[in-house]
């Protein structure tokens, strides 16, 4: 029986989602493999994990520009060195778990765990096959610290591979598989049932509008953009998702009422039916987190990008625009002008066609088979 440890950290949902997807696939398809998922930061020190994840959420929500500076500084300079050195110290604690579990493979979906395990391998304190799954669409150097001791890098796109090779990583270690995601997005849904579930008109196309989730970033700007969609794209129906943000849900409902749009706009709070909604949608409006971006591309959905957090989300936004699969409504842009131009041309159709280049529907399966099929 071979053992696999899957490390993640709770800084954003993409790391956890990728880890869950890998665990589920291994559990269901490999009877000769024992797999376990561990939050590396929580294992090392629960108080530190609580403080740092809380700080990330508060900064992303209340001071996104500051978070952007932190993100940029962590690529190089003093903050990068502090991060690297602190991970070396924390690696000693993580080593206790590795010595106890003795995994044959470590799969890491966060740069911190990749750094810690590669450091222990460098020091000769532990040996295993280390695979890093990068959960965004642009390279960040924190993922690559200790790359000499990492056997596999699984990434989202070819341009990213070129950047990583130029950084100095052997191209033989880098595999463009896409980011692991829930297999629910690949179920054979019945359109009719989904339209009925949400009381939608099966004869009208659907815009899926995400309002910022737990952060609820740029509430006024988000409301302004939703208003434009309601007023300027009347031949589409809209599903507006506010997530767990109750205030945002109230604002959405008020906006729908003011525009007498109850017959073609559905406002939802938290929903676990995102795969179903993406299946019937023609367009998604969202901030470009790694997870939502992955899900949208896998569903061949063009994206209108709003309110990206400075740092990795802005880099994701730049990737989407550059590759013709997204339109970014920036701070100084007129939402009315951007949205009107989008629907007045065949741009949406072109964007949808372009998403096919990035649709990696079997990323989880590919990664697991590359790592485990020779056992």
């Amino acid at each position: 029986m071979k053992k696999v440890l899957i490390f993640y950290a709770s800084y954003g949902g993409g790391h956890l989602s990728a880890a869950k997807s890998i665990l589920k696939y291994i559990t269901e398809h490999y009877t000769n493999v024992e797999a376990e998922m561990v939050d590396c930061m929580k294992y090392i020190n629960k108080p530190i994990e609580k403080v740092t994840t809380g700080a990330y959420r508060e900064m992303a929500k209340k001071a996104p520009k500051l978070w952007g500076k932190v993100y940029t500084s962590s690529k190089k300079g003093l903050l990068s060195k502090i991060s690297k050195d602190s991970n070396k110290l924390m690696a000693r604690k993580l080593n206790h778990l590795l010595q106890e579990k003795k995994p044959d493979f470590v799969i890491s979906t966060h740069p911190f765990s990749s750094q810690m395990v590669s450091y222990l391998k460098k020091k000769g304190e532990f040996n295993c096959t280390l695979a890093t799954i990068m959960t965004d669409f642009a390279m960040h150097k924190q993922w690559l610290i200790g790359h000499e001791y990492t056997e596999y890098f699984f990434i989202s796109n070819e341009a990213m591979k070129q950047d990583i090779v130029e950084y100095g990583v052997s191209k033989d270690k880098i595999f463009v598989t896409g980011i692991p995601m829930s297999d629910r997005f690949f179920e054979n849904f019945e359109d009719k049932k989904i339209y009925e579930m949400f009381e939608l008109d099966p004869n009208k196309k659907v815009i899926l509008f995400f309002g910022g989730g737990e952060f609820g970033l740029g509430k006024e700007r988000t409301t302004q953009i939703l208003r434009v969609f309601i007023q300027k794209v009347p031949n589409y129906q809209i599903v507006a998702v506010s997530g767990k943000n109750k205030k945002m849900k109230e604002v959405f409902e008020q906006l729908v009422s003011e525009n007498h749009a109850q017959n073609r706009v559905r406002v939802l709070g938290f929903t676990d039916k995102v795969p179903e909604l993406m299946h019937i949608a023609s367009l998604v409006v969202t901030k470009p987190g790694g997870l939502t971006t992955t899900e949208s591309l896998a569903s061949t959905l063009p994206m209108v990008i709003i309110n990206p957090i400075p740092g990795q989300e802005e880099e994701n936004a730049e990737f989407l625009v550059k590759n013709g699969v997204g339109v970014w409504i920036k701070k100084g842009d007129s939402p009315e002008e951007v949205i009107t131009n989008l629907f007045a041309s065949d741009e949406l159709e072109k964007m949808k066609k372009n998403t096919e280049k990035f649709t990696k529907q079997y990323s989880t399966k590919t990664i697991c088979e590359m790592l485990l099929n020779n056992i």
Side-chain angles (χ1 to χ4, degrees), residues 45 73-74 85 157 177 184 195 197 202 206 211 221 293 307 314 351:
N45 190 304
S73 299
S74 66
D85 291 345
N157 63 86
T177 57
R184 287 197 59 231
Y195 280 102
M197 184 188 305
V206 175
R221 182 68 162 171
T293 299
N307 305 327
E314 286 193 345
M351 288 164 63

Side-chain angles (χ1 to χ4, degrees), residues 328-343:
W328 181 0
I329 303 179
K330 296 185 178 182
K331 188 176 180 180
D333 292 341
S334 161
E336 183 172 337
E337 184 177 329
V338 173
I339 293 166
T340 300
N341 289 341
L342 179 62
F343 286 91

Side-chain angles (χ1 to χ4, degrees), residues 29-308:
H29 293 86
Y30 292 88
T31 56
N32 58 339
V33 177
E34 180 183 307
E36 183 179 351
M37 210 168 84
V38 177
D39 185 327
C40 64
M41 294 302 292
K42 192 171 285 187
Y43 173 83
I44 289 166
N45 190 304
K46 286 184 180 179
I48 288 178
E49 188 271 343
K50 187 175 182 180
V51 168
T52 54
T53 55
Y56 162 73
R57 291 189 182 98
E58 286 300 301
M59 243 191 292
K61 182 177 180 180
K62 297 179 179 177
K65 287 185 179 179
L66 177 59
W67 167 250
K69 290 180 180 179
V70 170
Y71 176 84
T72 302
S73 299
S74 66
K75 291 185 177 182
K76 57 185 179 180
L78 180 60
L79 192 56
S80 173
K81 187 177 187 306
I82 290 171
S83 175
K84 183 178 176 181
D85 291 345
S86 63
N87 283 326
K88 287 180 181 179
L89 293 172
M90 290 188 288
R92 304 183 193 283
K93 178 71 183 290
L94 196 68
N95 195 28
H96 296 316
L97 179 66
L98 293 170
Q99 297 299 337
E100 175 192 342
K101 300 290 184 180
K102 291 184 167 47
D104 301 282
F105 297 86
V106 168
I107 300 174
S108 169
T109 69
H110 195 276
F112 288 175
S113 45
S114 297
Q115 287 181 36
M116 287 186 263
V117 176
S118 63
Y119 175 74
L120 292 171
K121 288 180 70 175
K122 178 181 179 181
K123 291 296 183 182
E125 295 185 32
F126 192 79
N127 191 35
C128 65
T129 298
L130 174 59
T132 290
I133 299 172
M134 300 173 72
T135 55
D136 276 301
F137 289 79
M139 186 192 86
H140 191 297
K141 292 177 182 177
Q142 286 289 321
W143 285 101
L144 305 177
I145 293 172
H147 65 82
E148 301 91 343
Y149 301 91
T150 302
E151 282 75 22
Y152 296 87
F153 287 94
F154 298 110
I155 64 171
S156 62
N157 63 86
E158 289 289 346
M160 195 174 178
K161 179 175 181 177
Q162 185 59 39
D163 290 341
I164 296 171
V165 169
E166 289 177 4
Y167 181 80
V169 180
S170 169
K171 68 177 186 299
D172 297 332
K173 293 182 175 184
I174 308 166
F175 303 90
V176 182
T177 57
I179 301 170
M181 56 185 290
S182 170
D183 56 8
R184 287 197 59 231
F185 284 85
F186 313 121
E187 290 181 19
N188 292 318
F189 295 115
E190 290 185 35
D191 291 14
K192 183 180 177 182
K193 288 185 177 179
I194 302 172
Y195 280 102
E196 288 175 353
M197 184 188 305
F198 295 100
E199 299 179 343
L200 295 166
D201 181 350
N203 298 311
K204 274 191 172 183
K205 292 182 178 180
V206 175
I207 295 169
L208 182 55
F209 189 104
F210 289 111
E214 64 174 311
F215 298 136
L217 295 173
K219 185 170 69 175
E220 290 183 8
R221 182 68 162 171
T222 301
T223 305
Q224 179 190 16
I225 293 169
L226 179 56
R227 180 183 290 111
V228 173
F229 273 104
I230 292 172
Q231 294 177 351
K232 300 297 179 181
V233 196
N235 54 329
Y236 279 70
Q237 53 198 337
I238 301 168
V239 178
V241 181
S242 60
K244 296 179 180 178
N245 191 315
K246 292 181 180 179
K247 290 183 179 179
M248 185 71 82
K249 186 172 186 288
E250 291 172 3
V251 171
F252 283 0
E253 289 170 340
Q254 182 180 348
L255 187 60
V256 172
S257 178
E258 289 172 357
N259 286 273
H260 308 291
Q262 292 90 339
N263 65 326
R264 59 186 182 86
V265 181
R266 299 287 174 265
V267 177
L268 306 178
F270 172 79
T271 178
D272 61 356
K273 304 299 182 186
V274 172
E276 287 88 338
L277 289 167
M278 284 195 173
H279 179 76
I280 62 167
S282 297
L283 173 71
V284 63
V285 184
T286 183
K287 61 195 278 298
L291 177 59
T292 306
T293 299
T294 300
E295 293 168 349
S296 299
L297 291 176
S299 303
T300 64
L301 281 176
M303 299 172 67
V304 171
I305 302 153
I306 60 173
N307 305 327

